[in-house]
Amino acid sequence: MINEADLLSEEGWFYELISTKALESLKKNNFDADYACDRKEALEKVIQRIPPKATIGIGDSVTLHQIGFFSWLDNRKDYKVFNPFLRNPQGYFSTAPQERFELMRKALTCDVFLAGTNAVTLDGKLVNIDGGGNRVAAMIFGPKKVILVVGVIK
C-alpha cells in the first residue's frame, strides 16, 4: 500500500514517464534533447555542451540556479559572460537599465546562450513568453548554440 503522505516515489515515476515522452517528441522535432536524473547530472550535461573559451549569454533561469550552474560559472575565468540578470544581495539588479539592455544585446550574438523555457509540451514544442523579448529572441536567432535547462515540472 502507498503511504499517501510520501508520494515522492510516485512523483518520480510519473516525471520520468512524461519526460521520456517529451524527449522522444523533442528529438522528432530535431532538438538535441537529453534527460538528467538529478541536479548534478544536469550540470555535468550542460558543462559538456559549452565549448572551451566560448562567449556565454544568459537569459536567466531558476533551473540554472538550482543545478548550480552560476556557482560553477563564477569559478571560471576562461569564458566571457554576458549576464544582464546579476543581482546584488538585496535582490536588485546590479547593473543600470541601459547596461542591462546592452548585455542583452551582446548575449544575442554569443557562442552559447543558456536559459530556461516556460513549458515543454508532450508533442515536443517549447512554450515561451518573455517580458523583454531577449530570451525568446535568442532562442530563435543569434547565438551559435542554445542550451535550455528544463525541470520536470515544466
Side-chain angles (χ1 to χ4, degrees), residues 67-84:
I67 68 169
F69 177 75
F70 293 109
S71 297
W72 173 82
L73 192 59
D74 286 343
N75 297 320
R76 304 297 303 222
K77 304 298 179 211
D78 49 342
Y79 297 105
K80 175 73 175 163
V81 180
F82 304 110
N83 186 353

Side-chain angles (χ1 to χ4, degrees), residues 108 113 115 118 127-141:
L108 287 171
F113 183 81
N118 297 106
V127 179
N128 291 286
I129 188 166
D130 199 359
N134 65 297
R135 182 176 57 97
V136 173
M139 287 180 189
I140 298 168
F141 180 82

Side-chain angles (χ1 to χ4, degrees), residues 39 59-70 115-117 149 151 153-154:
R39 295 171 191 214
D60 211 16
S61 163
V62 170
T63 310
L64 284 170
H65 285 281
Q66 290 173 334
I67 68 169
F69 177 75
F70 293 109
T117 189
V149 181
I153 60 169
K154 300 279 181 147

Side-chain angles (χ1 to χ4, degrees), residues 7-16:
L7 294 178
L8 191 56
S9 63
E10 292 297 313
E11 288 176 1
W13 170 85
F14 175 72
Y15 288 145
E16 188 171 341

Side-chain angles (χ1 to χ4, degrees), residues 64-126:
L64 284 170
H65 285 281
Q66 290 173 334
I67 68 169
F69 177 75
F70 293 109
S71 297
W72 173 82
L73 192 59
D74 286 343
N75 297 320
R76 304 297 303 222
K77 304 298 179 211
D78 49 342
Y79 297 105
K80 175 73 175 163
V81 180
F82 304 110
N83 186 353
F85 302 99
L86 290 175
R87 295 181 183 270
N88 63 25
Q90 291 77 33
Y92 298 105
F93 288 121
S94 57
T95 55
Q98 187 59 34
E99 186 179 351
R100 267 197 326 280
F101 180 76
E102 288 304 314
L103 288 169
M104 288 178 190
R105 290 174 49 95
K106 288 178 181 177
L108 287 171
T109 59
C110 62
D111 297 320
V112 180
F113 183 81
L114 288 104
T117 189
N118 297 106
V120 177
T121 65
L122 290 178
D123 61 345
K125 295 177 182 144
L126 304 178

Side-chain angles (χ1 to χ4, degrees), residues 1-55:
M1 183 141 146
I2 296 173
N3 178 355
E4 292 181 12
D6 181 21
L7 294 178
L8 191 56
S9 63
E10 292 297 313
E11 288 176 1
W13 170 85
F14 175 72
Y15 288 145
E16 188 171 341
L17 177 71
I18 61 173
S19 296
T20 300
K21 171 64 177 148
L23 280 170
E24 290 170 3
S25 298
L26 286 165
K27 289 176 182 179
K28 285 180 186 173
N29 292 343
N30 297 312
F31 287 97
D32 177 13
D34 204 355
Y35 178 80
C37 61
D38 58 34
R39 295 171 191 214
K40 181 180 177 189
E41 184 180 352
L43 178 59
E44 290 170 3
K45 288 178 183 277
V46 169
I47 292 168
Q48 291 170 358
R49 286 174 166 73
I50 301 173
K53 300 183 181 184
T55 56

